[in-house]
Amino acid sequence: NLVDRDGNEWRPVITGSGDFADFTWIDSKEARDENGKLLPYHYEQAILFTAEGKDGKTFDKDNIFNMGSSTAIVYKADGSTEEFDACTYPSDLDKYATVPEGQYEAKVGLHKNTYVALRLSDVDTDNFSANSIELGKPNPAHPNTTKARGINIHLPGQNNLTGLTRSNQAISQGCLLIDRNRWKEFIGLFNSSEQRNNTVGVIIQR
């Protein structure tokens, strides 16, 4: 863990809200209650999804390859950060939910019962197997609800496809995608014996 010259460990904590939401490092002693449990909005590890990618790359709804339109900045347990190309929009904006800007939490779980990914949900979720996100407006895929269920952080398609496949199948029905070429590195930061059971703090910027 990150240790300063006085031997103090540090943890990421959410600061601000909306356009100003971010993570910052805080002394681990101040991040825990008297029983040693992390306080709300304090995490062992966290992810910030930026509104734009490197060199100002932004999401283009007419492009089926939008990987890198966001950067996933991972605040790691060793006190360092690592960046991964990402995409935070669905394959079709008109058909599927877009996760709003804001604060969320995630946990290691299965994507479609096929491989290990991160299951994303509203803050204070107690059941990530039934994860859901409040959209604040009707879900395009299910207009009778303002919830989006089963939103995960997972792999894109072949060659980092983020849009619809040739058979019109959506790579993302609202999920967040991480660069396929670095997926093992990314998920390995969370799917470890030390981190697997920890809740991950997540901020999405728009």
Side-chain angles (χ1 to χ4, degrees):
N1 299 323
L2 179 66
V3 180
D4 65 18
R5 66 183 64 185
D6 297 320
N8 299 315
E9 295 181 357
W10 297 72
R11 291 290 179 272
V13 58
I14 290 177
T15 59
S17 61
D19 293 340
F20 303 101
D22 203 347
F23 287 105
T24 190
W25 298 107
I26 189 172
D27 189 326
S28 183
K29 295 174 184 176
E30 299 177 10
R32 299 179 186 278
D33 62 21
E34 58 185 12
N35 297 315
K37 183 179 179 180
L38 282 171
L39 295 168
Y41 309 118
H42 296 68
Y43 304 95
E44 296 289 348
Q45 298 196 128
I47 311 169
L48 171 67
F49 287 91
T50 62
E52 297 180 353
K54 298 172 184 175
D55 301 320
K57 181 176 180 178
T58 57
F59 179 82
D60 177 0
K61 66 181 182 62
D62 296 319
N63 187 356
I64 62 173
F65 295 98
N66 275 294
M67 184 54 60
S69 56
S70 171
T71 299
I73 304 172
V74 179
Y75 290 71
K76 302 193 295 185
D78 65 3
S80 65
T81 59
E82 189 167 356
E83 298 183 359
F84 299 84
D85 284 343
C87 177
T88 63
Y89 287 90
S91 298
D92 188 322
L93 298 180
D94 296 324
K95 292 183 178 180
Y96 305 108
T98 297
V99 178
E101 176 178 70
Q103 303 168 10
Y104 303 92
E105 292 180 337
K107 206 162 191 177
V108 169
L110 292 179
H111 175 61
K112 294 186 175 180
N113 292 316
T114 56
Y115 64 88
V116 174
L118 292 179
R119 298 186 66 83
L120 186 70
S121 201
D122 286 329
V123 173
D124 293 329
T125 295
D126 57 8
N127 182 5
F128 282 88
S129 295
N131 56 325
S132 70
I133 287 172
E134 173 58 50
L135 301 172
K137 60 183 180 181
N139 183 338
H142 305 282
N144 61 330
T145 180
T146 61
K147 298 279 189 181
R149 305 185 188 281
I151 300 296
N152 299 329
I153 302 173
H154 65 81
L155 276 164
Q158 293 296 324
N159 300 315
N160 271 331
L161 177 69
T162 61
L164 299 173
T165 66
R166 291 181 179 177
S167 58
N168 215 35
Q169 297 297 307
I171 295 298
S172 166
Q173 296 184 19
C175 296
L176 281 59
L177 307 173
I178 300 293
D179 181 4
R180 188 178 192 89
N181 299 309
R182 300 192 62 205
W183 173 254
K184 287 184 178 180
E185 294 174 60
F186 174 84
I187 198 61
L189 296 175
F190 306 98
N191 189 30
S192 67
S193 57
E194 296 83 8
Q195 297 296 328
R196 188 175 297 121
N197 295 317
N198 293 331
T199 299
V200 181
V202 177
I203 292 174
I204 298 175
Q205 296 180 342
R206 294 289 183 208

